[in-house]
Amino acid sequence: ARTASGLFLWKGSYSMAEIRKMTLADIPAAAGLEKLCFPDPWSAKGLRDTLREDRACFLAAEKEGTLCGYLNATWVLDECSLNRICVHPSCRRSGIASALLAELKAFCRQNGIGSIYLEVRESNAAARALYRAEGFAELGRRPRFYTSPEEDAVLMGWTSE
């Protein structure tokens, strides 16, 4: 279905979770996942403010009524920035991150967005492997991009076919 602005909305079901558009009601749970999963978590206010942006794509992965993962992306023109993808540790390696990425790619294709870019910690081998498996290529590095601890970021990108 299309929104008033012409963008597609989606709702996908996967065996591991239901993927749907994230709402403001999901923010407290998403902020909790942030604190659980990242040394530099986004605040509830930051998530809420970004979700309200016109060019934001937030997806929720819900399992048995509980938010088990989410994705936060924004775009300008035909480029999307994957700001965050987060899956509860007990739900990892079950395909939820891949499902969230598949829905983001579908959203991009449907809306004429040709590429997705992201930064990932150099030490996050699992995430880098996931992104490579999902068709992302390493494009470069951003020295000392992260703090807590200080670390380089690996810049990765995906282009629609």
Side-chain angles (χ1 to χ4, degrees):
R2 283 191 183 262
T3 64
S5 63
L7 296 177
F8 284 92
L9 296 180
W10 56 94
K11 184 174 180 178
S13 288
Y14 296 81
S15 60
M16 74 296 295
E18 176 186 18
I19 308 299
R20 60 173 173 76
K21 183 178 177 188
M22 196 165 138
T23 68
L24 288 171
D26 296 311
I27 294 295
L33 280 176
E34 281 282 328
K35 290 177 186 173
L36 182 64
C37 297
F38 295 109
D40 57 345
W42 279 44
S43 68
K45 181 185 183 317
L47 291 167
R48 190 177 306 106
D49 290 350
T50 305
L51 177 62
R52 289 178 172 151
E53 290 181 12
D54 289 340
R55 299 204 176 265
C57 174
F58 274 67
L59 300 172
E62 187 173 79
K63 187 175 181 178
E64 299 174 6
T66 301
L67 186 75
C68 57
Y70 89 95
L71 179 147
N72 158 1
T74 51
W75 76 93
V76 175
L77 301 174
D78 66 344
E79 292 184 0
C80 179
S81 177
L82 176 56
N83 300 319
R84 201 68 119 180
I85 188 167
C86 183
V87 176
H88 191 283
S90 69
C91 298
R92 290 183 184 157
R93 304 198 56 78
S94 67
I96 291 172
S98 292
L100 287 164
L101 287 169
E103 291 294 325
L104 177 63
K105 289 175 185 177
F107 173 85
C108 287
R109 285 184 185 111
Q110 290 169 343
N111 290 287
I113 301 166
S115 55
I116 303 169
Y117 296 100
L118 62 90
E119 290 96 4
V120 61
R121 283 182 180 271
E122 185 175 38
S123 65
N124 193 341
R128 290 171 61 195
L130 167 71
Y131 295 134
R132 279 193 300 275
E134 294 297 327
F136 286 78
E138 293 190 10
L139 304 174
R141 300 204 181 274
R142 298 190 193 279
R144 298 176 303 283
F145 182 80
Y146 291 104
T147 59
S148 301
E150 185 176 284
E151 185 172 359
D152 289 357
V154 176
L155 176 63
M156 299 184 80
W158 170 88
T159 303
S160 66
E161 298 171 21

